[in-house]
């Protein structure tokens, strides 16, 4: 079944990792701009500069000596997130749902004490979770209260949206749903699920699970995944399109979380986004990028690019409809 589906994706213009690197990342993503996406502190600074909403930063830690400042950063906060500035694929992220008298409950239900927290942050500062294993900084930021539309299709944690942006056009997307296996995190390689999203309507499709298995039922809640309307969909697409100018990258993944009170917030950017989004959508990225090529580069505002992308989606991403 998986082999048949893969053959169908190839016929639909599926993009492999070698083509992604050679034809998209190398020519469209200038190396000098990679720090903007690889350093989450820098991403947040740039987003604020461009007026893109982000989770509030409570503070940052650069040395083990500064861990004593953590208590002041999180005082009065019901929950918070600890995140390595140069981490990848969700490694090293701690989502704390609540804290009380020096004890912390994670999104996965584990209880940590102050020694556990200090040990984790020390490891993050030493580079255990960073790209290349280099010494890192640790961010302490607002914990998102995710929109209740995801209650039935998420096991704790925070679902997020991954939108692929090509030359400023949002061309493919999925919502990543935490599971018990992923310990409440939204990263596919840690066991989360990814459900495709119709660019035109914001309606969810069935999801891809670990092992590239396509399911339409959440493994922990049993709830149906497809047919759910993503709130603030047009606003999320607009935010993703604006990240083209923010990062200066022609091919990137934009991760957005939907907060119940604050709406869409930019979590992070990825200069080398994964390819499972194609399986989640049952369509190939190459076919969609080729459909947008006739529209040119930097010729439209972000709002215009979103409108063109939704119109293209309604027409089935056919290149002969580009204008």
């Amino acid at each position: 079944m998986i082999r048949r589906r893969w053959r169908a994706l190839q016929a639909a213009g599926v993009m492999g990792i070698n083509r992604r690197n050679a034809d998209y990342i190398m020519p469209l993503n200038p190396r000098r701009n990679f720090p903007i996406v690889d350093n989450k502190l820098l991403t947040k600074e740039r987003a604020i500069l461009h007026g893109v909403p982000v989770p509030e930063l409570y503070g940052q830690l650069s040395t083990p000596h500064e861990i004593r400042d953590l208590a002041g950063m999180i005082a009065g906060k019901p929950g918070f997130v600890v995140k390595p500035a140069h981490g990848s694929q969700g490694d090293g992220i701690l989502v704390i749902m609540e804290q009380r008298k020096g004890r912390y409950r994670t999104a996965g239900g584990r209880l940590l004490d102050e020694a556990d927290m200090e040990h984790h942050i020390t490891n993050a500062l030493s580079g255990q979770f960073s790209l290349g294993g280099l010494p890192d900084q640790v961010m302490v930021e607002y914990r998102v209260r995710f929109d209740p539309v995801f209650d039935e299709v998420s096991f704790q944690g925070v679902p997020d949206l991954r939108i692929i942006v090509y030359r400023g056009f949002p061309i493919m997307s999925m919502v990543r749903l935490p599971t018990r296996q992923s310990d409440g995190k939204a990263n596919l390689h840690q066991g989360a699920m990814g459900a495709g999203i119709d660019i035109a309507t914001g309606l969810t499709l069935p999801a891809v699970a670990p092992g590239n298995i396509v399911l339409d039922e959440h493994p922990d809640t049993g709830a149906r995944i497809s047919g759910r309307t993503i709130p603030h969909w047009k606003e999320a697409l607009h935010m993703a399109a604006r990240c083209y100018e923010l990062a200066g990258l022609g091919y990137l993944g934009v991760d957005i979380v939907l907060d119940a009170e604050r709406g869409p917030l930019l979590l992070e950017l990825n200069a080398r986004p994964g390819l499972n989004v194609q399986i989640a959508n049952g369509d190939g990225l190459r076919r969609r990028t080729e459909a947008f090529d006739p529209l040119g580069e930097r010729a439209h505002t972000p709002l215009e690019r979103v409108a063109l992308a939704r119109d293209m989606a309604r027409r089935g991403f056919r290149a002969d409809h580009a204008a």
Side-chain angles (χ1 to χ4, degrees), residues 1-2 5 193 206-217 279-280:
M1 178 179 176
I2 294 175
R5 188 173 181 83
M193 304 178 72
V208 58
N212 289 335
I213 300 170
V214 177
L215 300 173
D216 197 15
E217 184 177 284
I279 301 177

Side-chain angles (χ1 to χ4, degrees), residues 255-275:
D255 295 344
I256 295 171
V257 67
L258 300 178
D259 187 87
E261 297 180 357
R262 307 183 186 188
L265 301 173
L266 175 65
L267 274 187
E268 59 184 69
L269 303 174
N270 194 317
R272 320 164 191 81
L275 300 169

Side-chain angles (χ1 to χ4, degrees), residues 21-202:
N21 293 343
D23 294 351
Y24 295 87
I25 292 178
M26 288 184 64
L28 296 175
N29 292 354
R31 191 75 186 176
R32 65 180 181 277
N33 291 343
F34 274 40
I36 297 172
V37 299
D38 288 342
N39 183 340
K40 296 177 179 59
L41 275 169
L42 187 54
T43 302
K44 194 181 289 283
E45 290 175 5
R46 290 292 291 258
I48 293 171
L49 186 65
H50 283 256
V52 174
V54 294
E56 178 186 355
L57 181 67
Y58 294 153
Q60 61 191 72
L61 305 169
S62 300
T63 67
H65 182 71
E66 294 176 353
I67 296 177
R68 63 183 182 182
D69 297 335
L70 176 65
M73 296 177 188
I74 60 176
K77 313 295 185 188
F80 58 94
V81 175
V82 173
K83 182 183 295 183
H86 289 84
S88 66
Q89 299 185 321
D91 292 340
I93 294 177
L94 269 184
V95 179
I96 302 300
M97 304 300 287
E98 60 180 358
Q99 56 162 330
R100 186 177 181 184
K101 296 182 179 179
R103 296 179 70 85
Y104 311 94
R105 185 172 65 83
T106 71
R110 289 186 297 136
L111 276 178
L112 308 178
D113 59 22
E114 290 183 335
D116 296 326
M117 180 63 74
E118 182 175 346
H119 180 70
H120 181 85
I121 294 176
T122 300
N123 285 340
L125 291 171
S126 71
Q128 179 174 329
F129 310 112
S130 69
L131 293 167
L134 298 175
D136 203 357
Q137 294 174 291
V138 169
M139 305 161 60
V140 182
E141 65 180 23
Y142 169 76
R143 178 180 66 79
V144 170
R145 279 74 167 170
F146 67 86
D147 194 289
V149 72
F150 298 118
D151 281 349
E152 292 184 337
V153 289
S154 179
F155 179 79
Q156 302 179 343
V158 180
D160 66 20
L161 309 180
R162 160 63 62 86
I163 301 177
I164 303 297
V165 177
Y166 174 65
R167 296 187 173 186
F169 295 94
I171 64 170
M172 190 174 285
S173 180
M174 65 178 171
V175 55
R176 301 186 296 187
L177 304 169
T179 64
R180 185 187 299 274
Q181 181 182 342
S182 72
D183 193 27
K185 297 176 182 176
N187 298 84
L188 268 59
H189 88 286
Q190 294 185 345
M193 304 178 72
I197 304 174
D198 185 319
I199 291 288
T201 64

